[in-house]
Amino acid sequence: MENPDDTVYSQAQARLRASIDINMPGLTVSSEINGVLSRQLSAPMVVEFVRSLSQSGSDSDSGRSSEANPSDREDILHNWSGIKTIARNDQVHHPTTVTEIAELIKHAQSKVHVIGSGLSYESLMSLALDDDDAVLLSLTNFHGLVSTTDTTATFAAATTVDEVVQTLGKMDRMMPCSLGVIGIQTLAGAISTGTHGQGLLQSDYASIVKSLKVVLPNGDVQTVTADNTVLPLSAFVTSLGTLSVILEVEIQTKPRRIFYCRKLALPYSEFLQRYPEWNHAYEYVKVWWFPETSLCQVWLVEEATLSQAAEFLATDRSAPLKVSSLSDSMNVTVEKYLKAMSHDTKASSSSDQPQFKTVRRFAEATDLVGYHEQILCKGIPAPQVNCEIAVPFEKFQAATEALQRWSKLQPGRIHYPFIYRAAGKSSAWLSPANAGPVVWIGFLVYVAEDGSVRSDGMETMQKLQQILLDFDGLPHWGKHFMDSYFEFSELLPNFEQFLQLRRQLDPKNKLLSSFLKRIFL
């Protein structure tokens, strides 16, 4: 049975393939607006910035050349959504051998960045369009299963999470962590940006890594393991491409299991009180809080009972088994959010655009039994400005109460509910969970088809980050964030040690983007 989201999911995959294969058309006016997003400007500055683009066509932060406005050019690589500028097509290299990568990096005269699925905040990887020596590596030729043991599997860097899950599933194995919502991201990209799922009893993709095969900035090919004190695995797993180019990722695996997901609609007050309890009792917990109606959708996921598993295994297993009747408890809330989003994104609330399908799914609340990817990894990629901030687990309630106070004063400012996902302590030095368990709080505004956001959209994204700063908040590295806001050196125990290692390995800053220079230099 086909999953109803697969059409939209396939469309996103098609956009991704088109982008990575460098077959995208030239930019449109929407890309000018998106340049504003990449610079994290507040709404009042949008008009002024677009005006400046029409006058000079320059923007140092987003890598725009003064020679021509990118909207007039047909040689530009976009991110997966086809909106954001990454590089010129002729700056992209598709190496086929390790030696080719090593030589390219060793003799590079300018920047060397890596693009995976193009899903991350584009400032991490973007090149200056007027830099003829800069290189963007696409590792699409480094793909698929490399080797296995009884408890591990090694994959080439550009293998997507979806493909990892499918390959392991054929062996009756699974990844020993909660999956994130998007499966089209590459495995190397997911660990490099600190991508995570949900559940206090696990952490992130990076924490299941056993070893990495990498190319260092000097061209050396090395294997990085947990017992390597010179090249610590904990530094490399989440390093945003600033320490090396990852070639292969060895991950832990475990026997495949079947899960039961119970979905509840509960008031905000119960969520605030019981969220810590749920995270200690259930393997995976995810909550969406809709501040406009003070209602929450709660997912509590645990291993299925023997009878539940048997019932699922008796099906063709192509989709999760629905084991409860459809609940309409979220319908009023969903309609309220769809109406507001329709106004802001200039599209009908009955549209089949990804953002509307995403919100509409909350009205389809049924309990499920299935494999963990069928329950947890079915996100629908949609153009958006997406932020996610981690706060220490013990500060979850105070941080949420602060967000509630803001929401009461500023109703209707976000298109999507606040998303809550806990994670246990991470082994990765740059993970916000390196110091201990955290709660990730996500929020977003959707981007309209013309590339615009609601007039106060960027201001809202910035204000919510500022609120969470007071609770020792730290950002998700792969999503939109204001780098100047956060105290990385104070809140990440190994941050200074990471800086020292990065300087030692890459003294010429070949792998450091203009955006990341502001953090790591």
Side-chain angles (χ1 to χ4, degrees):
M1 182 172 64
E2 183 179 9
N3 188 291
D5 298 329
D6 283 350
T7 300
V8 173
Y9 207 70
S10 297
Q11 291 170 352
Q13 289 179 310
R15 289 196 298 272
L16 167 63
R17 292 191 189 100
S19 175
I20 297 303
D21 289 342
I22 321 303
N23 291 320
M24 296 298 293
L27 291 177
T28 63
V29 173
S30 67
S31 299
E32 297 179 356
I33 302 294
N34 224 26
V36 178
L37 301 186
S38 70
R39 290 182 63 199
Q40 311 141 7
L41 303 181
S42 58
M45 300 173 71
V46 170
V47 174
E48 182 60 33
F49 180 63
V50 173
R51 185 182 297 118
S52 72
L53 278 177
S54 64
Q55 294 171 350
S56 65
S58 64
D59 175 21
S60 59
D61 280 351
S62 59
R64 288 190 167 84
S65 168
S66 59
E67 295 178 2
N69 192 321
S71 63
D72 299 326
R73 300 170 61 171
E74 297 182 353
D75 64 339
I76 301 296
L77 170 67
H78 303 69
N79 70 335
W80 72 274
S81 65
I83 295 177
K84 300 189 178 183
T85 305
I86 303 295
R88 297 196 323 256
N89 292 352
D90 60 6
Q91 292 173 311
V92 182
H93 290 243
H94 296 262
T96 59
T97 67
V98 173
T99 299
E100 187 179 351
I101 296 175
E103 288 298 307
L104 190 152
I105 297 173
K106 180 178 180 179
H107 299 294
Q109 299 300 308
S110 186
K111 298 297 181 183
V112 179
H113 299 161
V114 181
I115 185 169
S117 300
L119 291 165
S120 295
Y121 187 24
E122 77 285 352
S123 294
L124 302 180
M125 71 197 89
S126 295
L127 297 177
L129 299 184
D130 57 359
D131 186 348
D132 292 335
D133 293 321
V135 171
L136 187 66
L137 288 177
S138 173
L139 300 183
T140 50
N141 293 314
F142 293 78
H143 177 274
L145 180 66
V146 176
S147 63
T148 62
T149 71
D150 290 343
T151 58
T152 68
T154 301
F155 292 90
T159 312
T160 68
V161 171
D162 277 341
E163 291 164 333
V164 170
V165 169
Q166 292 165 9
T167 300
L168 293 180
K170 293 175 182 177
M171 306 173 193
D172 208 24
R173 308 287 293 178
M174 62 182 283
M175 301 171 80
C177 67
S178 172
L179 299 175
V181 296
I182 303 297
I184 60 175
Q185 60 190 320
T186 65
L187 180 59
I191 66 170
S192 294
T193 55
T195 299
H196 61 92
Q198 49 274 309
L200 192 62
L201 306 181
Q202 55 83 61
S203 188
D204 49 23
Y205 286 124
S207 293
I208 69 169
V209 174
K210 291 284 290 182
S211 71
L212 298 172
K213 182 178 180 180
V214 304
V215 180
L216 299 178
N218 65 0
D220 287 352
V221 179
Q222 297 282 347
T223 298
V224 180
T225 60
D227 57 0
N228 189 330
T229 57
V230 178
L231 302 174
L233 181 62
S234 294
F236 278 78
V237 281
T238 299
S239 55
L240 308 165
T242 64
L243 298 184
S244 68
V245 172
I246 297 174
L247 302 175
E248 296 177 2
V249 183
E250 182 189 18
I251 61 170
Q252 302 169 44
T253 68
K254 65 181 181 181
R256 198 177 200 186
R257 294 186 293 149
I258 299 169
F259 292 88
Y260 165 57
C261 175
R262 182 185 180 196
K263 299 181 182 181
L264 305 170
L266 298 173
Y268 163 82
S269 57
E270 186 169 354
F271 155 58
L272 192 67
Q273 179 182 358
R274 298 189 63 191
Y275 184 72
E277 167 198 331
W278 293 331
N279 273 281
H280 284 98
Y282 291 88
E283 192 159 353
Y284 307 133
V285 177
K286 190 170 185 178
V287 175
W288 293 262
W289 164 41
F290 295 79
E292 295 298 298
T293 60
S294 292
L295 197 62
C296 301
Q297 185 165 111
V298 179
W299 288 17
L300 304 176
V301 183
E302 59 188 341
E303 188 163 8
T305 64
L306 291 177
S307 60
Q308 289 171 333
E311 188 176 1
F312 170 73
L313 291 173
T315 71
D316 64 8
R317 312 179 197 179
S318 63
L321 179 67
K322 296 179 179 180
V323 293
S324 70
S325 58
L326 188 68
S327 170
D328 62 0
S329 56
M330 297 292 297
N331 287 9
V332 173
T333 292
V334 168
E335 287 304 315
K336 185 179 182 71
Y337 275 74
L338 287 174
K339 183 177 180 180
M341 193 165 65
S342 173
H343 175 271
D344 292 344
T345 61
K346 309 163 192 174
S348 169
S349 61
S350 61
S351 168
D352 281 333
Q353 292 179 11
Q355 59 267 39
F356 290 95
K357 287 181 66 71
T358 299
V359 174
R360 204 174 290 125
R361 288 194 304 183
F362 290 106
E364 303 169 358
T366 58
D367 295 351
L368 302 173
V369 173
Y371 296 125
H372 72 332
E373 69 270 16
Q374 295 175 324
I375 295 172
L376 301 173
C377 194
K378 297 303 294 183
I380 303 176
Q384 60 191 242
V385 182
N386 189 331
C387 302
E388 191 174 29
I389 307 299
V391 300
F393 189 81
E394 65 273 13
K395 297 188 177 184
F396 142 75
Q397 289 176 321
T400 302
E401 288 171 337
L403 293 175
Q404 185 198 36
R405 290 191 292 270
W406 173 86
S407 297
K408 286 183 176 180
L409 296 174
Q410 305 288 343
R413 294 283 288 267
I414 57 175
H415 292 144
Y416 198 74
F418 287 102
I419 312 165
Y420 284 75
R421 298 186 288 169
K425 180 177 172 59
S426 171
S427 61
W429 283 2
L430 289 189
S431 169
N434 184 244
V438 298
V439 175
W440 289 96
I441 303 175
F443 43 93
L444 61 88
V445 291
Y446 284 115
V447 178
E449 284 190 302
D450 65 0
S452 64
V453 296
R454 55 176 292 155
S455 60
D456 56 7
M458 295 309 298
E459 178 187 343
T460 295
M461 295 297 98
Q462 293 174 12
K463 181 59 180 177
L464 293 173
Q465 291 177 68
Q466 289 174 331
I467 289 172
L468 295 176
L469 282 175
D470 291 339
F471 304 94
D472 294 337
L474 283 171
H476 188 305
W477 290 107
K479 300 184 180 182
H480 173 94
F481 67 95
M482 298 291 291
D483 61 285
S484 61
Y485 287 2
F486 299 96
E487 300 295 339
F488 298 103
S489 60
E490 293 184 12
L491 298 176
L492 294 174
N494 295 290
F495 189 73
E496 294 300 328
Q497 193 173 351
F498 180 87
L499 296 185
Q500 181 179 355
L501 179 63
R502 197 209 64 77
R503 287 192 296 266
Q504 174 189 334
L505 294 177
D506 188 18
K508 295 182 180 180
N509 301 320
K510 296 179 187 179
L511 306 185
L512 201 59
S513 70
S514 297
F515 174 74
L516 291 177
K517 273 186 176 180
R518 305 202 296 256
I519 300 171
F520 296 130
L521 281 186

